[in-house]
Amino acid sequence: MKEKLQKIREEAMKQIQDSEALEKLNEIRINYLGKKGELTTVLKSMKDVAPEDRPKVGQMVNETRQAIESFLEETRKKLAAKAREDQLAKEVIDVTLPAKKSNVGHRHPNTIALEEVERIFIGMGYEVVEGPEVEYDEYNFEKLNIPANHPAKDEQDTFYINNEIVLRTQTSPVQVRVMEQGKLPIRMIAPGRVFRSDEVDATHSPSFHQIEGLVIDKNITFADLKGTLAEFAKQMFGENTKVKFRPHHFPFTEPSAEVDVTCFKCGGSGCRFCKGSGWIEILGCGMVHPHVLEMCGIDPDEYSGFAFGVGLERIALLKYEIDDMRLLYENDIRFLKQF
Ligand code: DAH
């Protein structure tokens, strides 16, 4: 019995000595001191020991148990301390390191240009309104004087949802929506996304943005249109910018014009940027067609007005001298950060 206890003690001590993790110590505790542990088994076999030897053997068992227990505890403390030290070493924080940068995005050139346009027109007393991107054919075409089979319908390759509903090809339908509300006078701009079934290239995208403008009041003339757009061009592109109105045709305005501004790169003398002409086209405009006013419930004998439509990307590309529209849609932060 004595040798047996001696052996158990030596084995246990060695295992404790060798253990490197706290979990291992627990295992050892269970194996030796647990309900089915080796020492417990010895205790259970006391009945086989001669009664006169029992106190002695009992004492030996207790000593063995105490020895194992105290060595377990001692080792547990050591291992716990070491684990803590390792953890502290591993999780060391160098407070002198530079802080992690949180990446902030950047406003898109379209957004910057739009806010500039809005600022200018709000300054002239305009309201900023919005209309739906999914629009009735009736608003996108019919009430803008573009009936079925009109060639203008083909000019704007349209995405049809069904026979009556389209993805708007222009922001002009917002004119109709605002006029139909019947609150006069009107002075509004309507920025928004428009869609055309175009292939992507340096100057085209199936989805881009326009800013519509509409003024309806008594005695509005072409002179008001000219003055307004000249003021806009100056504020947008620089005090020395001049505007030129070229006759054009839009179904919903009469007369209609396209507007060019003097090239802000060369000031009008001609350069690569304006392809030598000194002028850059920026928008379409005109006096609202009397028939459009009528269709929208406004009496053309009492009221008149003008409208214009600007391509937002066009303005952003010009203002920031970006030569490929696709750059505007990639949203590469390295590109966006330049503006
Ligand atoms: N909606 C026209 C287009 O997308 C642009 C335009 C031209 C709008 C003349 C107007 C306007 O309001 O008067 O090509």
Side-chain angles (χ1 to χ4, degrees):
M1 190 56 103
K2 192 176 172 189
E3 286 95 70
K4 197 171 177 192
L5 282 171
Q6 188 63 31
K7 197 163 159 269
I8 290 176
R9 181 174 176 155
E10 272 166 23
E11 262 178 29
M13 293 308 211
K14 176 149 188 345
Q15 279 187 26
I16 295 169
Q17 182 81 48
D18 291 349
S19 59
E20 280 164 1
L22 289 168
E23 302 85 65
K24 181 75 190 157
L25 284 186
N26 242 341
E27 231 173 76
I28 297 170
R29 182 190 304 278
I30 292 165
N31 286 346
Y32 287 92
L33 311 178
K35 269 189 195 153
K36 289 177 187 156
E38 294 202 28
L39 207 60
T40 322
T41 318
V42 174
L43 259 184
K44 278 181 189 156
S45 61
M46 283 290 270
K47 59 182 185 305
D48 303 332
V49 176
E52 62 273 25
D53 292 338
R54 278 182 198 166
K56 191 125 192 291
V57 175
Q59 199 192 342
M60 277 166 62
V61 172
N62 275 341
E63 275 171 16
T64 309
R65 186 180 183 89
Q66 269 164 19
I68 295 174
E69 261 175 0
S70 67
F71 194 42
L72 269 174
E73 180 56 16
E74 193 184 310
T75 313
R76 189 193 64 75
K77 279 189 185 146
K78 260 194 232 159
L79 285 180
K82 182 161 181 312
R84 179 90 182 119
E85 252 169 54
D86 287 352
Q87 188 191 19
L88 287 175
K90 209 166 61 195
E91 294 176 2
V92 69
I93 296 170
D94 183 349
V95 293
T96 66
L97 280 175
K100 264 194 204 152
K101 259 199 193 154
S102 54
N103 269 329
V104 180
H106 193 276
R107 283 193 311 165
H108 195 279
N110 272 354
T111 311
I112 304 174
L114 175 58
E115 282 175 5
E116 183 66 7
V117 174
E118 288 181 349
R119 188 190 64 74
I120 295 169
F121 280 102
I122 287 171
M124 292 195 262
Y126 286 58
E127 200 185 336
V128 180
V129 305
E130 276 182 20
E133 292 173 2
V134 182
E135 183 57 281
Y136 291 110
D137 178 285
E138 187 188 359
Y139 285 88
N140 195 81
F141 294 118
E142 301 277 329
K143 290 194 167 174
L144 288 165
N145 234 1
I146 313 173
N149 306 321
H150 192 287
K153 245 177 148 165
D154 296 336
E155 273 164 36
Q156 304 182 354
D157 281 322
T158 311
F159 288 113
Y160 277 88
I161 305 284
N162 59 34
N163 270 342
E164 281 131 49
I165 298 173
V166 301
L167 296 185
R168 67 177 176 191
T169 59
Q170 48 188 356
T171 44
S172 305
V174 188
Q175 289 188 35
V176 179
R177 288 183 173 270
V178 173
M179 284 191 279
E180 278 191 347
Q181 284 173 2
K183 273 184 248 150
L184 294 165
I186 295 166
R187 231 185 267 144
M188 69 86 170
I189 56 168
R193 191 186 288 272
V194 301
F195 306 85
R196 290 184 199 180
S197 175
D198 281 330
E199 296 289 334
V200 174
D201 64 26
T203 53
H204 290 87
S205 160
S207 153
F208 57 103
H209 300 79
Q210 289 185 336
I211 304 157
E212 197 74 15
L214 177 70
V215 170
I216 306 280
D217 204 345
K218 289 176 178 158
N219 305 317
I220 297 289
T221 69
F222 204 96
D224 297 307
L225 172 60
K226 279 185 86 172
T228 303
L229 293 181
E231 180 58 24
F232 164 66
K234 275 186 188 169
Q235 289 203 36
M236 194 73 200
F237 300 111
E239 190 55 34
N240 296 323
T241 312
K242 291 192 178 64
V243 287
K244 177 168 82 175
F245 287 69
R246 275 183 291 105
H248 199 76
H249 172 262
F250 296 106
F252 38 88
T253 43
E254 181 58 34
S256 306
E258 273 187 340
V259 173
D260 299 344
V261 291
T262 40
C263 176
F264 37 83
K265 205 91 204 275
C266 63
S269 55
C271 68
R272 222 178 53 115
F273 204 65
C274 54
K275 299 197 187 84
S277 75
W279 295 95
I280 294 173
E281 181 200 322
I282 59 158
L283 58 83
C285 64
M287 301 305 292
V288 180
H289 198 294
H291 188 222
V292 172
L293 290 176
E294 261 168 14
M295 282 189 283
C296 298
I298 296 173
D299 180 357
D301 291 330
E302 200 182 343
Y303 285 95
S304 58
F306 63 77
F308 56 89
V310 196
L312 177 58
E313 278 79 358
R314 185 154 181 81
I315 301 281
L317 295 179
L318 287 174
K319 199 165 163 72
Y320 301 112
E321 298 180 26
I322 304 165
D323 56 11
D324 191 329
M325 193 174 180
R326 284 167 288 200
L327 290 165
L328 290 180
Y329 301 115
E330 282 165 3
N331 285 335
D332 186 329
I333 191 75
R334 292 166 300 180
F335 168 76
L336 297 179
K337 272 198 172 143
Q338 301 173 73
F339 308 102

